[in-house]
Structures are given as structure tokens and as C-alpha cells.
Amino acid sequence: MMLLSAGDALRRPFRFPAACALAFGIAACALAAPVPGQAQDDRMTPIAAPAQPDAIELGTGALPGATAKESWHRQYGSRFARNVTVATLTPFLPDPAKASGAAVVVAPGGGFRTLSMDNEGYDVARALAARGVAAFVLKYRLRQTPADMAGFERSMQEMFSGAARTPLPAPTSAATDLAPQLADSTAAFRLIRARASQWHVDPDRIGMIGFSAGAMLTMATTLSTTEAKPAFIGNIYGPLGSMTVPQDAPPMFAAIAADDPLFGNRDFKLIDDWRAARRPVEFHLYEKGGHGFGMYPKATTSTGWFDAFVRWIDMHGMLKKIR
């Protein structure tokens, strides 16, 4: 794998073993195959780590105490990474002639123990770049899991049992619980702003979108840090429980399916909190879609979330052409 150092630039699923992981001790599952015909692909198959020539090391260091090395597997036709010990950012840049100036940090989900790199990462970034938005896939550091696939599956099965009944953690603990991941997301914003001119990005129009655990990281980056300051955020099937919303909170786009077994049966008080703070918020509650629909082509209206998100950031003036 060829990796560039950011320091050089900055000087400084409900069917196990479908893609299930635990987020803060609760199950975060990609519950359904992208289409019924691909149901046979639900088995996790180890693969070699793909070449990542455009990945840039974020300079946040190796995960403290890590012993297992980064590994990848395939499931549902998509690739997943786990045991990530060094954070990277991969740019997906639009044609300069079409560049709007807007940028988005994309945070895949996977319970902080694996990352859905295609469905919630690269595929999202490519689609954004096609709309004139510079997208940056954040491969953030993860909690360690057994190095061998059998051990990984066994550990997830053990954690999965009874995990759905585990209460969500207090949002105030995010800065401590997610310290490495928050360092990674903050470094991502720092790098993009440092290279804004090179990447045709407006430093004031950098947002963040996250999926499941990535949505948790997006919310923590927004509410528990002071440096990143995303201009807008997307919370895609992440928890929507009550949080303290500051008066300068960015516009938020939220989408979740009512049949999401992880967060669909919990409350959506975060939407009310955003409104009470008089901050812009758009909320899409889809009838069906399950958890982890991402960019998978499914016969549910949840598939329309991406077009709605792009129209929403356009409505907020984020897609105006850079001068």
C-alpha cells in the first residue's frame, strides 16, 4: 500500500455473520443483501488489502496498544476493513470544471470495529464527486478485534447476543470514548483546509456525513470538538436521541428507516433538539430500508436518500460554483 504522509503537507447485519459489529456495545448490523439475488454473498470472505495509492496518512499515529494488523474482507459484494491502526483520508475529486467548492468528509460505519468501505465510503464519495462535490473517505482507527476471521466472527457473535437491549451511552462521554476517532476526523478537516486551494475546495463549505457508527462520529465531531466545525452534517441511520445542541450548530440532514432494528424503535428527540435550538434540520423517516442500506440498490424509498441529501446541500447554497 502506498501512503502519503499528511505531516508532509501540514508539517506536523440481523443475521450473523452478515456485516454485524458493535457500536458502543450495541449491535450495528447491515441487515439485508443489496438485492435478493445476492443473498448468497452474506458470508465474510477474507481478501487481500486493496491498493490505496491515493490514501493519505493523517498523522495521528498508530492506535495505542494495537497488536492485530489491518485486514479486509468481502461481504454482499462490498469490501470491509477492520483492525485499522493508522488513519487515512482518500480524496475523490470532481472534474475541476464541475467543482462546486463544496467538500464532504465521508465516515463509513461498522460499530468502530469494522468499516463498510465501499457501500458507505468509496461509493458515496464517487457519487458526490459526480455531482461536483469533493469527497474524502475517512478510514479512521478502530477498536481491535481478533486477527483471524473465525475469531472475529466468534467475538462478534458473543457481543451480538443481547446487545440490542444495551442502552446508548451518554453523548457527553463521546470525547473520551472516541478519542482516537475524533483525533482522526479533526485531522481530516485540518488537512482538507490546508490543501483547499489544491483541491478546489472552499474552506467554509466542508461538511461531514456518517453512517451508523460513522454518524456517531459525525455527531461527536460536530458537538464535542472545537476545531473541525463542519459547515453541514449528514446523520444516516445513526442514533437520534437527545443531545445538547449549541446555537451555532450546522444544518443537519438525517435519514433512517422505520424498520431499522437498531435505532428505528428508539426516539428521534435529536430532531426536536435541533429545531428547539432554531438550527436548520431536514429529517427523512423511510417506511422500509433496514439498517445499513447505504448506496445498495434496494426496492425501498430509502434508496432516494442520496439525491435528497444533494438537493438539500444545494438548497443551503453549498453547490455554488467556486469563483
Side-chain angles (χ1 to χ4, degrees):
M1 184 192 322
M2 295 175 59
L3 295 174
L4 304 175
S5 171
D8 293 338
L10 298 175
R11 293 321 305 161
R12 108 98 197 88
F14 215 101
R15 188 175 61 192
F16 198 84
C20 282
L22 293 195
F24 290 124
I26 57 180
C29 309
L31 299 179
V35 292
Q38 292 184 345
Q40 69 273 18
D41 296 332
D42 65 352
R43 186 169 60 90
M44 296 181 190
T45 303
I47 60 173
Q52 300 164 73
D54 298 323
I56 305 169
E57 282 193 14
L58 283 170
T60 50
L63 183 71
T67 56
K69 296 181 179 180
E70 180 177 319
S71 61
W72 289 62
H73 63 271
R74 184 179 296 277
Q75 185 178 35
Y76 291 144
S78 295
R79 293 171 298 178
F80 296 79
R82 62 189 182 92
N83 289 327
V84 174
T85 61
V86 176
T88 66
L89 194 70
T90 301
F92 287 77
L93 303 178
D95 181 332
K98 298 180 179 180
S100 64
V104 178
V105 175
V106 181
F112 300 105
R113 287 169 173 80
T114 185
L115 292 175
S116 179
M117 294 302 296
D118 284 329
N119 182 48
E120 298 172 352
Y122 301 148
D123 293 348
V124 177
R126 292 188 187 99
L128 285 168
R131 300 293 188 95
V133 180
F136 301 86
V137 177
L138 175 61
K139 189 176 74 174
Y140 50 90
R141 291 172 290 175
L142 299 174
R143 295 167 185 172
Q144 291 266 285
T145 60
D148 63 297
M149 182 57 70
F152 171 63
E153 292 184 348
R154 195 162 49 245
S155 70
M156 302 317 293
Q157 182 73 64
E158 292 170 355
M159 289 186 288
F160 179 71
S161 59
R165 296 187 295 274
T166 305
L168 288 170
T172 52
S173 67
T176 300
D177 295 339
L178 300 179
Q181 294 80 16
L182 283 171
D184 298 341
S185 62
T186 300
F189 277 86
R190 189 183 307 128
L191 174 61
I192 296 169
R193 290 188 175 117
R195 297 193 183 183
S197 177
Q198 173 188 342
W199 286 334
H200 303 283
V201 166
D202 181 344
D204 295 325
R205 284 190 279 154
I206 306 172
M208 185 172 183
I209 188 169
F211 303 78
S212 193
M216 297 181 189
L217 179 55
T218 297
M219 298 310 301
T221 301
T222 303
L223 302 177
S224 300
T225 67
T226 57
E227 181 183 345
K229 295 187 180 301
F232 56 91
I233 57 174
N235 180 325
I236 312 301
Y237 45 80
L240 296 173
S242 185
M243 299 182 191
T244 301
V245 180
Q247 292 184 342
D248 63 347
M252 179 176 69
F253 177 98
I256 194 169
D259 64 346
D260 184 324
L262 183 57
F263 301 128
N265 291 324
R266 297 176 184 262
D267 68 66
F268 305 142
K269 291 182 179 178
L270 181 62
I271 307 304
D272 293 331
D273 293 339
W274 228 261
R275 296 179 66 198
R278 299 183 183 278
R279 300 306 301 149
V281 59
E282 179 155 333
F283 179 40
H284 292 252
L285 177 60
Y286 296 104
E287 178 184 353
K288 293 183 180 296
H291 189 81
F293 46 82
M295 298 298 284
Y296 286 138
K298 299 182 69 176
T300 59
T301 54
S302 60
T303 301
W305 77 266
F306 178 80
D307 288 337
F309 175 72
V310 173
R311 287 195 298 271
W312 177 76
I313 61 174
D314 189 18
M315 180 181 73
H316 279 277
M318 296 295 166
L319 300 188
K320 62 184 180 183
K321 292 290 183 180
I322 201 167
R323 294 182 184 273

